[in-house]
mmCIF file of all heavy atoms in Angstrom:
data_model
loop_
_atom_site.group_PDB
_atom_site.id
_atom_site.type_symbol
_atom_site.label_atom_id
_atom_site.label_comp_id
_atom_site.label_asym_id
_atom_site.label_seq_id
_atom_site.Cartn_x
_atom_site.Cartn_y
_atom_site.Cartn_z
ATOM 1 N N ARG A 25 -6.513 19.849 2.387
ATOM 2 C CA ARG A 25 -7.633 18.992 2.040
ATOM 3 C C ARG A 25 -7.594 18.690 0.541
ATOM 4 O O ARG A 25 -7.783 17.491 0.145
ATOM 5 C CB ARG A 25 -8.955 19.655 2.355
ATOM 6 C CG ARG A 25 -10.220 18.928 1.866
ATOM 7 C CD ARG A 25 -11.444 19.583 2.310
ATOM 8 N NE ARG A 25 -11.689 19.385 3.818
ATOM 9 C CZ ARG A 25 -12.663 20.028 4.479
ATOM 10 N NH1 ARG A 25 -13.517 20.864 3.834
ATOM 11 N NH2 ARG A 25 -12.803 19.778 5.749
ATOM 12 N N ALA A 26 -7.385 19.672 -0.296
ATOM 13 C CA ALA A 26 -7.324 19.427 -1.807
ATOM 14 C C ALA A 26 -6.188 18.525 -2.094
ATOM 15 O O ALA A 26 -6.319 17.631 -3.020
ATOM 16 C CB ALA A 26 -7.199 20.783 -2.479
ATOM 17 N N ALA A 27 -5.097 18.647 -1.406
ATOM 18 C CA ALA A 27 -3.890 17.748 -1.698
ATOM 19 C C ALA A 27 -4.276 16.289 -1.282
ATOM 20 O O ALA A 27 -3.904 15.347 -1.969
ATOM 21 C CB ALA A 27 -2.663 18.246 -0.886
ATOM 22 N N CYS A 28 -4.943 16.183 -0.126
ATOM 23 C CA CYS A 28 -5.349 14.852 0.239
ATOM 24 C C CYS A 28 -6.252 14.127 -0.710
ATOM 25 O O CYS A 28 -6.006 12.958 -1.114
ATOM 26 C CB CYS A 28 -6.143 14.926 1.618
ATOM 27 S SG CYS A 28 -5.125 15.266 3.064
ATOM 28 N N VAL A 29 -7.149 14.880 -1.284
ATOM 29 C CA VAL A 29 -8.096 14.290 -2.321
ATOM 30 C C VAL A 29 -7.362 13.966 -3.604
ATOM 31 O O VAL A 29 -7.569 12.907 -4.166
ATOM 32 C CB VAL A 29 -9.285 15.228 -2.543
ATOM 33 C CG1 VAL A 29 -10.115 14.777 -3.731
ATOM 34 C CG2 VAL A 29 -10.117 15.462 -1.280
ATOM 35 N N LYS A 30 -6.471 14.847 -4.018
ATOM 36 C CA LYS A 30 -5.725 14.666 -5.212
ATOM 37 C C LYS A 30 -4.832 13.422 -5.098
ATOM 38 O O LYS A 30 -4.842 12.534 -5.964
ATOM 39 C CB LYS A 30 -4.861 15.873 -5.562
ATOM 40 C CG LYS A 30 -3.903 15.676 -6.751
ATOM 41 C CD LYS A 30 -4.708 15.436 -8.047
ATOM 42 C CE LYS A 30 -3.796 15.335 -9.244
ATOM 43 N NZ LYS A 30 -4.539 15.103 -10.473
ATOM 44 N N LEU A 31 -4.082 13.251 -4.010
ATOM 45 C CA LEU A 31 -3.287 12.095 -3.807
ATOM 46 C C LEU A 31 -4.059 10.821 -3.649
ATOM 47 O O LEU A 31 -3.656 9.731 -4.058
ATOM 48 C CB LEU A 31 -2.391 12.318 -2.587
ATOM 49 C CG LEU A 31 -1.308 13.405 -2.774
ATOM 50 C CD1 LEU A 31 -0.599 13.708 -1.434
ATOM 51 C CD2 LEU A 31 -0.267 13.014 -3.831
ATOM 52 N N ALA A 32 -5.268 10.891 -3.063
ATOM 53 C CA ALA A 32 -6.132 9.764 -2.967
ATOM 54 C C ALA A 32 -6.538 9.251 -4.345
ATOM 55 O O ALA A 32 -6.586 8.064 -4.634
ATOM 56 C CB ALA A 32 -7.393 10.116 -2.128
ATOM 57 N N LYS A 33 -6.849 10.197 -5.253
ATOM 58 C CA LYS A 33 -7.217 9.809 -6.592
ATOM 59 C C LYS A 33 -5.997 9.182 -7.360
ATOM 60 O O LYS A 33 -6.176 8.444 -8.327
ATOM 61 C CB LYS A 33 -7.669 11.057 -7.349
ATOM 62 C CG LYS A 33 -8.999 11.599 -6.911
ATOM 63 C CD LYS A 33 -9.427 12.856 -7.662
ATOM 64 C CE LYS A 33 -10.765 13.311 -7.194
ATOM 65 N NZ LYS A 33 -11.166 14.579 -7.892
ATOM 66 N N MET A 34 -4.774 9.427 -6.867
ATOM 67 C CA MET A 34 -3.546 8.829 -7.476
ATOM 68 C C MET A 34 -3.236 7.464 -6.861
ATOM 69 O O MET A 34 -2.258 6.850 -7.140
ATOM 70 C CB MET A 34 -2.419 9.766 -7.284
ATOM 71 C CG MET A 34 -2.533 11.056 -8.056
ATOM 72 S SD MET A 34 -1.231 12.270 -7.653
ATOM 73 C CE MET A 34 0.267 11.429 -8.096
ATOM 74 N N GLY A 35 -4.123 7.015 -5.893
ATOM 75 C CA GLY A 35 -3.957 5.690 -5.341
ATOM 76 C C GLY A 35 -3.325 5.662 -3.969
ATOM 77 O O GLY A 35 -2.970 4.523 -3.520
ATOM 78 N N TYR A 36 -3.135 6.798 -3.319
ATOM 79 C CA TYR A 36 -2.376 6.748 -2.043
ATOM 80 C C TYR A 36 -3.416 6.662 -0.903
ATOM 81 O O TYR A 36 -4.491 7.170 -0.952
ATOM 82 C CB TYR A 36 -1.617 8.133 -1.872
ATOM 83 C CG TYR A 36 -0.278 8.055 -2.596
ATOM 84 C CD1 TYR A 36 -0.253 8.631 -3.888
ATOM 85 C CD2 TYR A 36 0.842 7.539 -2.087
ATOM 86 C CE1 TYR A 36 0.961 8.603 -4.619
ATOM 87 C CE2 TYR A 36 2.032 7.478 -2.792
ATOM 88 C CZ TYR A 36 2.089 8.027 -4.042
ATOM 89 O OH TYR A 36 3.218 8.023 -4.756
ATOM 90 N N HIS A 37 -2.982 5.907 0.094
ATOM 91 C CA HIS A 37 -3.645 5.865 1.378
ATOM 92 C C HIS A 37 -3.237 7.129 2.168
ATOM 93 O O HIS A 37 -1.985 7.278 2.344
ATOM 94 C CB HIS A 37 -3.294 4.595 2.141
ATOM 95 C CG HIS A 37 -4.025 4.367 3.460
ATOM 96 N ND1 HIS A 37 -5.098 3.541 3.541
ATOM 97 C CD2 HIS A 37 -3.846 4.915 4.690
ATOM 98 C CE1 HIS A 37 -5.528 3.549 4.788
ATOM 99 N NE2 HIS A 37 -4.782 4.339 5.489
#
Side-chain angles (χ1 to χ4, degrees):
R25 173 177 287 173
C28 288
V29 173
K30 176 63 178 178
L31 292 169
K33 290 178 179 178
M34 293 171 62
Y36 283 93
H37 185 99

